[in-house]
Amino acid sequence: QVQLVESGGGLVQAGGSLRLSCAASGPTFSSYYMGWFRQAPGKERQFVAGISRYSGIKDYADSVKGRFTISRDNAKNTVSLQMNSLKPEDTAVYYCAAGSRGDFRRYDYWGQGTQVTVSS
């Protein structure tokens, strides 16, 4: 099992960049697929990006391809989301997640969320 702690959210101007980080507990971090999701007020949670156990495979939502990059460092038990060319529609609470079943869209553990606000 995994405990996740997120950081890096904040307020940024449209066109700017932000880097989110998530630190995981425990010695089995490399056994999990990791993902990022986001949820805006009144909207359903949506998938943003996912990464396989040893970074060999990455998956992105169409809305963020070419702008966001997911990465992980298994030695440090961290996963990050580099967000460039931010748009107001990227405004949401962002969550990191860990999953044990090798599926980019299904996860078992979730972070507390961090707010990202992009001003126009």
Side-chain angles (χ1 to χ4, degrees):
Q1 52 188 15
V2 178
Q3 295 183 47
L4 305 171
V5 180
E6 300 169 328
S7 62
L11 175 65
V12 65
Q13 290 268 6
S17 298
L18 205 61
R19 185 177 179 87
L20 306 182
S21 296
C22 182
S25 66
T28 58
F29 178 76
S30 63
S31 68
Y32 292 92
Y33 275 44
M34 300 296 297
W36 287 95
F37 289 73
R38 66 188 183 188
Q39 186 170 26
K43 304 295 184 180
E44 293 185 358
R45 181 180 60 189
Q46 66 176 179
F47 171 79
V48 175
I51 187 168
S52 60
R53 291 184 292 272
Y54 300 102
S55 304
I57 309 171
K58 298 176 182 180
D59 191 27
Y60 298 94
D62 289 342
S63 59
V64 307
K65 286 181 180 177
R67 299 189 298 122
F68 291 9
T69 303
I70 188 171
S71 61
R72 69 190 295 164
D73 186 337
N74 290 344
K76 296 181 179 179
N77 282 16
T78 58
V79 61
S80 298
L81 185 70
Q82 178 66 45
M83 305 185 293
N84 298 328
S85 302
L86 283 162
K87 305 174 181 180
E89 51 263 45
D90 295 318
T91 295
V93 176
Y94 283 70
Y95 300 89
C96 63
S100 62
R101 300 187 180 275
D103 189 324
F104 285 120
R105 307 304 174 97
R106 293 192 173 188
Y107 296 88
D108 305 301
Y109 305 98
W110 297 85
Q112 77 282 5
T114 185
Q115 177 71 48
V116 172
T117 302
V118 184
S119 61
S120 59

